[in-house]
């Protein structure tokens, strides 16, 4: 009887998650409208159109059979690595680092696509690996190469934030695939030991960001300015904020990047803790839905891909919010769906589209 | 490897699926926990620290801008302003907010049509300025230019156009060394005072002269304006305003008309002139020329202008009235005569002047080669005979002479609101022992008797000397009208003064050396004494060959010309001194003194005299200064254009 009212493909969509994403994106548009001083230009309108297009793309992606994703995982991964090489060789300098490839009609940022790419390829790799070998060396070194290659290329650009996200996404799959726990504990210890060495190899600006993260007040007008002003914006918002269009930090330009990386601070100043909790909860619900898709899937690939993709969304949000609230260095990771900009939105809606495809298959199997 | 205790755990698909489920749960739990952590962190910022951050946001948003107080006026004895404030439009640079320096400077140069000289000055100031210190770019702008910059301010971060007041000196260079000038506070000033007012754009502090010394009463109290501003410093709206309290008006004893007249009358000479009221000690004029234009100094002068002023041998940057020290030469003779009378020398005793005076194996000469013949005291003053004073002062000794010099104000530092005074030297035997560890010689006395040798005085002291001679009172020179008048008696026999004053009148009116100072005002006689101070030593060989004429002597080596006097001769009201540096005998001080005193009795006559003279000099002071600056610039650019083609041999 349901079939008679709504066509089957539409009825099969996970409407609750789509509404959640619509709510987050819609709220983002409201914040961008305010960040522009109460105007849909130059940000909210563009962002709204983009949001509509990408969400439509995600819904189309939801109809793609999972088998296609499985087949495409390796070729797509290799293609992205090749593109990363190209960016390294011919890439254009944007914001001081080479990140994107200008194809004329779109600026392609292969490192951005590598975030879901690494998840798919590793899911595919462990899918093919016999369960018996999961504790052996053969389970580890190919994965290390698969993660290390793109991470190193992105690091060369240099883009610490994206490189970290690729590593985080990859390691999450390794963890879920069942690699021995001691590996993770050992790696954590090794990272702690190697941190000073890595610090020495960083670019000057990255090193400054780390130092300023450790004590932002040491340089309140220089590099610590972003974090200081962001904390002022969030802290001054209080419980319910200063009201829509009432933020002074953002409207008087004290908050830098108030429509991109620090959009959360712009939001928090006007909507307060209430708005912040709403965003955190909404994202957690999306992420946990994705995790649940993984848990209810049957195949190894499906399980790993679903949990990995939802983890990618989680890392975006977690890193951005930590950074904005002064809990992490400024690494240039936007808040997806809310920050102005297409790349992160595209990636997250790509993840979401694939999750919906996985969800559709999991429900069909039940 | 040796004792492998157990076989590796065999992982089945089921076990792997189980591990996955367990670890996915852990992952989900971690994600929820991290979400909680983020929410807690946000709660901490927005609830626990809310007050602190609210304050910080508020101090970001609201900027307290000080309104510089209007500086107190400096007015002359009749209330005529000598330094006042004019509303003006100005543009400053705030180094802290200046990011794209070259682009902004280029835009400003275009918008304000500034010459390269000015841009060099701005660049230099920018380098020296601390980040918080505003650097003036241009002041006294016409409204259109100001508006052009204001309009583009959002694209020019660091540029601060403002409406305010600028200091204006109506008499320009004529008052420069008296009033001094104002300028933006230096980094050093700010470090000393730590007053945010000092770094407010448009605020000026006194840099020299009265402006500097009277900074406290002139400054006033700033007002304040609370305004909402953007991070780039752009004003969004004003919240509230408290008006400023302007500084106090300071009234001087100076007569602005006389000051300006005397400055102009100095002409192209390098020197100083001072006029003192004989009843009160009021300084009616205190001029040092040439001078800089305090108006352009207060705007921040260009590099070229500064170079030109520093390079000039007429020392326009030096206040010669207070900082120039000169051998007073023959102008001390009336005072020396007073010392002689005080020591019991009779005025009618005659000394025979043969033109030279033998001392040991050498000779001291009189300025008249053939000698004056037999002269009494009055004759010696009138003819300025050196031999008479050699002989007589030698008789009473240096220490009694020095005592009289001090009584008449030489060697004294007066209680005046001036930045610095050099008080010179009144030498005596104790002084020489202290300074050179040597005994005083008769030759030293002979030199001192005609105002040469070790004795040095500044022109103000000479004017005070004249005023004390004229009044018989120990007048203290006064510059501020509200200060008490001090005129204690000098305790010298009035008979003595009568003799000396009569002789001084004779200098001008009775066929003496100062005939050129004779006044044309009916019923008013001027009394005075001329003087010439030798700058170089004339050797015996040169004396035989014939002393070089002034035109053949380089400027730095020409004699100084001096004059002290008072009028009217019978009942003195005004006393003055005029000292011309290195003027030789081409231009002398006496006519300048005459015209200055004439102005006080008959201003019209004095102005007529000056009008003729100024035509010959090439116009009034601003015209001549402009011409000089143009010539200097042309010479400099010419020198730069044609490199070392011709080297002087």
């Amino acid at each position: 009887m349901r079939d008679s009212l709504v066509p089957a493909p539409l009825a099969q969509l996970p409407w609750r998650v789509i509404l959640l994403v619509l709510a987050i994106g819609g709220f983002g548009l409201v914040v961008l409208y305010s960040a522009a001083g109460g105007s849909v230009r130059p940000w909210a309108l563009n962002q709204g159109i983009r949001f509509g297009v990408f969400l439509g793309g995600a819904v189309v992606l939801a109809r793609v059979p999972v088998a296609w994703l499985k087949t495409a995982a390796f070729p797509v991964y290799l293609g992205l690595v090749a593109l990363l090489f190209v960016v390294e060789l011919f890439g254009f300098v944007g914001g001081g680092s080479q990140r994107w490839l200008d194809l004329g009609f779109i600026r392609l940022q292969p490192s951005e696509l590598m975030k879901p790419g690494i998840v798919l390829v590793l899911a595919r790799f462990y899918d093919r690996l016999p369960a018996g070998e999961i504790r052996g060396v053969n389970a580890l070194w190919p994965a290390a190469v698969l993660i290390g290659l793109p991470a190193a290329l992105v690091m060369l650009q240099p883009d610490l934030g994206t490189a970290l996200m690729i590593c985080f996404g990859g390691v999450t799959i390794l963890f879920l695939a069942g690699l021995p726990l001691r590996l993770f504990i050992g790696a954590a210890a090794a990272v702690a030991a190697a941190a000073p060495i890595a610090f020495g190899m960083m670019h000057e600006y990255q090193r400054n960001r780390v130092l300023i993260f450790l004590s932002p007040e040491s340089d309140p007008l220089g590099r610590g300015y972003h974090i200081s002003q962001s904390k002022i914006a969030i802290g001054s918002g209080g419980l319910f904020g200063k009201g829509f269009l009432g933020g002074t930090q953002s409207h008087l330009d004290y908050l830098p990047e108030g429509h991109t990386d620090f959009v959360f601070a712009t939001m928090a100043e006007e909507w307060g803790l209430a708005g912040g909790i709403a965003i955190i909860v909404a994202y957690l619900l999306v992420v946990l839905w994705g995790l649940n898709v993984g848990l209810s899937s049957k195949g190894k690939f499906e399980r790993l891909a679903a949990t990995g993709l939802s983890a990618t969304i989680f890392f975006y949000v977690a890193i951005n919010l930590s950074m904005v609230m002064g809990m992490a260095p400024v690494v240039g990771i936007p808040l997806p769906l809310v920050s102005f900009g297409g790349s992160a939105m595209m990636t997250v809606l790509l993840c979401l589209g694939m999750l919906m495809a996985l969800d559709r298959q999991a429900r069909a199997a039940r | 490897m040796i004792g492998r205790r157990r076989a590796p755990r065999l992982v089945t698909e089921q076990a792997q699926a189980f591990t996955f489920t367990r670890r996915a749960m852990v992952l989900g739990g971690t994600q929820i926990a991290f979400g909680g952590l983020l929410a807690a962190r946000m709660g901490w910022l927005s609830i626990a620290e809310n007050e602190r951050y609210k304050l910080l946001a508020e101090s970001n948003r609201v900027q307290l801008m000080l309104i510089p107080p209007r500086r107190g006026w400096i007015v002359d004895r009749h209330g005529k302003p000598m330094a006042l404030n004019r509303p003006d439009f100005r543009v400053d640079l705030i180094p802290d907010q200046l990011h794209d320096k070259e682009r902004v400077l280029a835009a400003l140069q275009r918008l304000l049509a500034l010459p390269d000289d000015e841009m060099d000055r701005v660049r230099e100031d920018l380098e020296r300025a601390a980040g918080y210190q505003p650097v003036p770019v241009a002041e006294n702008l016409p409204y259109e230019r100001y508006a052009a910059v204001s309009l583009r301010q959002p694209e020019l971060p660091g540029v601060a156009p403002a409406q305010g007041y600028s200091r204006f000196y109506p008499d320009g260079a004529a008052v420069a060394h008296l009033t001094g000038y104002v300028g933006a506070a230096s980094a050093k000033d700010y470090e000393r005072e730590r007053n945010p007012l000092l770094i407010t754009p448009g605020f000026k502090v006194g840099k020299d002269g009265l402006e500097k010394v009277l900074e406290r009463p002139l400054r006033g109290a700033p007002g304040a304006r609370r305004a909402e501003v953007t991070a780039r410093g752009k004003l969004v709206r004003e919240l509230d305003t408290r008006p400023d309290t302007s500084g106090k008006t300071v009234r001087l004893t100076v007569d602005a008309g006389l000051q300006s007249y005397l400055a102009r009358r100095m002409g192209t000479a390098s020197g100083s002139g001072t006029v003192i009221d004989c009843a009160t000690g009021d300084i009616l004029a205190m001029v040092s020329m040439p001078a800089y234009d305090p108006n352009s100094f207060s705007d921040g002068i260009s590099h070229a202008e500064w170079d030109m002023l520093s390079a000039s041998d007429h020392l326009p940057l030096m206040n010669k009235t207070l900082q120039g020290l000169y051998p007073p030469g023959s102008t001390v003779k009336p005072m020396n005569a007073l010392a002689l009378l005080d020591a019991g020398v009779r005025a009618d005793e005659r000394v025979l002047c043969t033109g030279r005076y033998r001392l040991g194996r050498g000779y001291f000469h009189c300025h008249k080669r053939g000698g004056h013949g037999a002269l009494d005291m009055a004759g010696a003053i009138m003819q300025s005979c050196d031999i008479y004073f050699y002989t007589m002062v030698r008789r009473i000794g240096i220490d009694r002479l020095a005592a009289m010099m001090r009584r008449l104000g030489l060697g004294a530092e007066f209680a005046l609101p001036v930045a610095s005074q050099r008080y010179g030297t009144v030498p005596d035997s104790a002084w020489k022992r202290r300074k050179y560890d040597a005994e005083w010689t008769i030759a030293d006395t002979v030199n001192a008797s005609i105002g040469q040798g070790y004795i040095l005085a500044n022109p103000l002291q000479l004017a005070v000397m004249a005023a004390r001679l004229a009044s018989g009172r120990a007048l203290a020179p006064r510059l501020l009208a509200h200060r008490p008048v001090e005129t204690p008696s000098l305790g010298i026999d009035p008979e003595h003064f009568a003799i000396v004053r009569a002789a001084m009148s004779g200098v001008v009116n009775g066929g003496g050396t100062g005939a050129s100072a004779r006044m044309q005002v009916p019923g008013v006689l001027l009394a005075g004494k001329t003087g010439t101070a030798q700058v170089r030593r004339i050797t015996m060989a040169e004396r035989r060959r014939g002393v070089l004429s002034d035109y053949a002597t380089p400027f730095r080596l020409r004699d100084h010309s001096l004059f002290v006097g008072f009028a009217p001769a019978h009942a003195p009201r005004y006393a003055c001194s005029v000292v011309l540096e290195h003027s030789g005998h081409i231009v002398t001080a006496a006519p300048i003194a005459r015209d200055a005193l004439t102005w006080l009795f008959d201003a019209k006559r004095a102005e007529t005299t000056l009008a003729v003279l100024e035509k010959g000099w090439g116009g009034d002071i601003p015209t001549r200064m402009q011409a000089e600056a143009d010539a200097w610039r042309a010479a400099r650019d010419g020198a730069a254009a044609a490199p070392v083609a011709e080297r002087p041999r």
Side-chain angles (χ1 to χ4, degrees):
Chain A
M1 47 186 186
R2 226 205 273 164
D3 302 31
S4 61
L5 282 173
V6 197
L10 277 184
Q12 281 172 10
L13 286 173
W15 281 109
R16 270 186 297 183
V17 150
I18 290 175
L19 285 176
L20 219 47
V21 167
L22 273 172
I24 295 171
F27 192 32
L29 296 181
V30 168
V31 174
L32 288 181
Y33 175 81
S34 170
S39 159
V40 292
R41 279 172 207 286
W43 302 315
L45 186 64
N46 272 354
Q47 181 86 343
I49 294 168
R50 209 153 33 198
F51 182 55
V53 170
F54 286 138
L55 192 61
V59 169
V60 170
L61 197 56
R63 302 292 304 163
V64 168
V66 174
W68 292 16
L69 298 179
K70 217 170 179 172
T71 318
F74 265 102
V76 163
Y77 172 82
L78 290 175
L80 287 175
V81 169
L83 277 176
L84 280 175
F85 268 110
V86 172
V87 169
E88 192 54 40
L89 292 176
F90 310 108
F92 296 89
V93 175
S97 48
Q98 299 181 336
R99 287 177 186 174
W100 41 268
L101 202 63
D102 205 337
L103 297 183
F105 62 97
I106 189 174
R107 281 176 184 173
L108 195 62
Q109 209 169 323
S111 60
E112 194 63 43
L113 292 175
M114 188 49 97
K115 291 168 188 170
I118 191 74
V119 168
L120 290 186
V121 80
L122 284 172
R124 179 73 183 123
F125 170 68
Y126 287 110
D127 180 43
R128 292 177 60 169
L129 191 76
E133 287 193 37
I134 197 67
R135 300 185 81 86
V137 183
N138 284 343
L140 188 57
W141 72 262
V145 171
L146 288 174
I147 299 172
L149 193 60
L153 284 171
V154 171
M155 197 63 195
L156 278 175
Q157 289 180 356
D159 183 353
L160 179 63
T162 305
L164 273 177
M165 277 195 62
I166 291 172
C167 291
F168 285 173
V171 170
T172 305
I173 302 291
L174 262 53
F175 176 73
L176 293 169
L179 262 68
L181 266 182
R182 58 188 153 83
L183 277 180
F184 297 97
I185 296 163
V191 164
I197 300 163
F199 183 73
M201 286 165 61
M202 280 184 199
H203 274 260
E204 189 67 32
Y205 85 98
Q206 294 169 332
R207 211 180 299 176
N208 279 339
R209 280 178 181 181
V210 174
L211 286 177
I212 282 146
F213 158 64
L214 294 175
S215 70
E217 277 75 21
S218 66
D219 186 16
L221 284 178
R223 305 227 52 118
Y225 186 77
H226 287 61
I227 293 181
S228 302
Q229 295 301 332
S230 169
K231 280 160 77 180
I232 292 175
I234 296 170
S236 64
L239 208 51
F240 295 106
K242 299 173 185 169
F244 183 52
L245 298 177
T248 57
Q249 284 288 102
S250 51
H251 288 144
L252 299 178
D253 296 335
Y254 290 98
L255 181 69
E257 307 289 331
H259 62 289
T260 55
D261 288 0
F262 286 88
V263 74
F264 185 78
T266 303
M267 183 286 302
E269 192 182 13
E270 295 186 357
W271 300 89
L273 182 61
I277 299 278
I279 284 196
I280 293 171
V281 168
Y283 265 114
L284 265 185
L285 289 176
V286 172
V287 167
L288 292 178
W289 168 79
L291 194 73
N292 201 44
V293 170
L295 283 171
S296 56
S297 291
K298 286 290 169 287
K300 238 196 285 185
F301 173 80
E302 287 79 356
R303 290 193 306 231
L304 291 176
T307 41
L309 290 172
S310 79
T312 298
I313 299 176
F314 171 78
F315 285 132
Y316 259 116
V317 179
I319 292 176
N320 176 267
L321 294 194
S322 304
M323 168 181 102
V324 166
M325 291 195 265
M327 292 161 64
V330 178
V331 287
I333 295 290
L335 182 64
L337 306 182
V338 184
S339 286
F340 178 76
S343 287
M345 176 182 277
M346 181 180 71
T347 309
V348 163
L349 289 176
L350 201 64
C351 291
L352 205 77
M354 290 191 283
L355 275 169
M356 288 193 287
L358 290 160
D359 175 56
R360 193 174 53 82
Q361 180 177 299
R363 277 199 285 184
R366 246 177 304 182
Chain B
M1 291 297 131
I2 297 165
R4 189 190 272 181
R5 295 214 189 122
R6 53 179 182 169
R9 198 149 47 107
L10 194 70
V11 183
T12 62
E13 291 292 335
Q14 280 82 3
Q16 200 182 1
F18 180 68
T19 306
F20 169 78
T21 306
R22 204 169 49 188
R23 290 191 178 183
M25 293 293 199
V26 171
L27 182 67
T30 310
Q31 286 169 342
I32 292 173
F34 199 85
L37 178 68
L38 289 172
R41 168 69 177 173
M42 194 179 171
W44 169 259
L45 288 178
S46 58
I47 295 172
E49 302 223 277
N50 179 241
E51 282 305 313
R52 182 164 92 92
Y53 285 121
K54 252 189 188 159
L55 269 176
L56 285 171
E58 201 61 6
S59 78
N60 263 349
R61 177 179 79 97
V62 178
Q63 196 181 57
L64 187 71
M65 278 175 285
L66 289 174
I67 304 171
R70 281 156 294 168
R71 205 171 169 79
W73 287 16
I74 299 176
V75 301
D76 85 337
R77 60 190 296 120
H78 307 301
K80 182 176 178 247
M82 298 178 73
L84 64 156
N85 309 306
R86 274 197 314 200
D88 86 329
F89 298 106
R90 50 179 296 113
V91 171
D92 293 280
L93 280 173
I94 314 294
D96 257 353
Q97 299 168 6
L98 186 65
H99 296 306
D100 196 352
K101 182 171 142 190
E102 286 313 313
R103 184 182 64 86
V104 170
L105 286 184
L108 280 182
Q109 179 165 23
R110 190 170 42 78
L111 289 172
L112 299 173
L114 294 173
D116 289 342
D117 275 352
E118 276 298 302
M119 295 313 290
D120 288 347
R121 199 261 313 153
V122 170
R123 256 174 246 276
E124 209 163 292
D125 285 358
L126 268 178
E127 257 156 52
R128 258 180 310 187
Y132 39 72
Q133 204 187 352
V135 171
V137 178
E139 306 192 354
N140 295 322
L141 289 169
Y143 178 75
E144 300 76 52
R145 293 210 187 285
Y146 164 81
V149 173
S150 294
L151 216 65
R152 290 171 180 78
Q153 195 200 2
E155 348 157 354
L156 299 173
V159 175
Q163 276 173 275
Y165 291 92
S166 70
R167 202 63 161 162
F168 178 57
Y169 306 89
D171 288 317
V175 299
H177 288 295
L178 179 65
T179 57
Y181 60 98
V182 296
S186 66
K188 220 191 251 168
D189 290 334
Y190 179 69
E191 264 145 41
R192 196 171 44 236
E193 233 182 289
R194 284 282 157 205
N195 184 346
L197 175 61
L198 262 55
I199 53 169
T200 307
F203 180 73
K204 300 284 177 69
V205 295
K207 290 288 190 179
D208 198 10
L210 291 166
E211 295 276 27
K212 183 178 182 180
V213 179
L214 302 176
E215 174 66 25
R216 195 180 291 234
L218 288 174
R219 183 182 286 183
R225 179 169 52 213
R226 283 182 355 116
E228 198 174 275
V229 291
T230 69
R232 286 182 167 190
K234 193 179 168 231
L235 191 84
V236 178
R237 64 197 156 114
E238 294 206 353
L239 302 172
D240 51 39
T241 307
R242 187 187 73 217
D244 63 308
T245 314
S246 58
K248 286 200 182 69
T249 297
V250 173
R251 196 158 71 91
L252 304 182
T253 60
V254 171
D255 184 320
L258 179 64
Q259 173 84 18
S260 157
Y261 178 82
L262 182 50
R264 288 163 59 207
R265 183 61 186 83
M266 298 297 288
T268 54
S270 164
S272 58
T274 309
V275 181
I276 291 180
D277 186 311
C278 290
T280 55
D282 286 359
I283 295 174
L284 297 177
M286 189 158 78
V287 167
S288 173
M289 294 302 284
Y292 53 88
D293 181 359
N295 292 309
S296 74
F297 258 51
S298 298
D299 293 352
I301 67 160
S302 73
H303 214 266
E305 203 176 343
W306 178 265
D307 282 351
M308 181 185 79
L309 292 171
S310 316
S312 168
D313 59 3
H314 283 43
L315 306 176
L317 295 174
M318 175 175 161
N319 183 356
K320 298 178 193 99
T321 321
L322 297 168
Q323 276 142 40
L325 288 180
Y326 308 90
S330 300
T331 58
V332 297
K333 283 174 181 164
M335 173 174 66
N336 290 2
L338 211 56
L340 295 176
L341 291 166
D342 208 44
V345 173
R346 287 161 49 106
D348 55 4
E349 191 179 338
R350 286 172 179 263
V351 169
L352 179 69
C353 169
T354 58
R356 57 186 195 173
Y357 179 84
R358 190 188 172 95
L359 183 71
R361 281 182 296 158
Y363 289 99
F364 282 79
H365 292 262
C366 188
H367 67 91
K368 189 170 178 186
R369 290 198 80 180
H372 291 103
L375 286 172
D376 63 0
M377 185 180 282
I381 291 175
M382 283 163 64
Q383 300 306 323
S384 199
C385 175
D386 296 334
I387 307 294
Y388 176 89
F389 285 95
Y390 296 157
T391 314
M392 288 303 194
V393 171
R394 186 180 173 184
R395 190 189 291 172
I396 66 165
I398 184 64
D399 291 346
R400 303 181 79 154
L401 180 67
M404 180 56 76
M405 288 179 169
R406 291 197 193 96
R407 276 164 95 178
L408 292 196
L410 266 60
E413 189 172 3
F414 302 108
L416 288 174
V418 294
S420 73
Q421 303 177 55
R422 292 181 69 193
Y423 46 86
T425 310
V426 174
D428 60 16
S429 49
W431 171 85
K432 193 176 176 191
R433 231 173 285 129
R434 207 167 51 239
K435 175 115 181 173
Y436 294 106
D437 196 23
E439 282 309 308
W440 188 266
T441 66
I442 293 173
D444 292 335
T445 307
V446 167
N447 268 328
S449 73
I450 58 159
Q452 299 274 3
Y454 296 118
I455 175 169
L456 286 174
N458 70 37
L460 174 67
Q461 290 168 338
L462 295 181
V464 170
M465 175 186 79
R468 288 185 180 180
L469 271 172
S471 65
R473 301 193 159 271
L475 295 172
R478 215 165 64 111
L479 207 45
L480 299 179
H482 64 271
R483 284 300 179 90
V485 172
E486 284 173 59
T487 58
S489 169
L490 276 168
I492 294 170
D493 190 344
E495 288 287 312
H496 296 175
F497 280 115
I499 295 167
V500 172
R501 285 177 203 150
M504 287 174 79
S505 180
V507 168
V508 178
N509 311 300
T513 54
S516 61
R518 187 175 300 177
M519 259 168 53
Q520 301 299 312
V521 181
V524 183
L525 289 182
L526 193 156
K529 182 70 193 82
T530 56
T532 305
Q534 219 168 284
V535 172
R536 69 204 170 100
R537 198 183 152 79
I538 299 173
T539 60
M540 292 303 269
E542 188 187 339
R543 208 176 279 280
R544 274 193 298 275
R545 259 197 329 267
V547 179
L548 280 174
S549 82
D550 282 318
Y551 289 104
T553 317
F555 178 80
R556 298 283 320 158
L557 296 177
R558 288 180 204 162
D559 292 346
H560 301 312
S561 172
L562 302 90
F563 187 86
V564 297
F566 49 85
H570 53 278
R573 283 237 33 216
Y574 307 110
C576 75
S577 79
V578 173
V579 178
L580 302 186
E581 275 191 341
H582 307 296
S583 64
H585 305 271
I586 307 159
V587 184
T588 55
I592 296 178
R594 172 198 69 200
D595 289 342
L597 293 182
T598 300
W599 191 91
L600 286 163
F601 295 99
D602 186 349
K604 206 178 248 174
R605 180 188 294 275
E607 293 286 358
T608 315
T609 315
L610 179 57
V612 177
L613 287 172
E614 263 186 345
K615 227 168 267 168
W617 294 328
D620 59 2
I621 297 173
T623 315
R624 292 202 313 267
M625 281 174 77
Q626 187 59 50
E628 217 170 297
D630 292 345
W632 191 87
R633 212 162 280 147
R636 182 199 57 178
D637 295 346
V644 242
E646 293 171 56
R647 189 171 289 161
R649 295 170 189 231

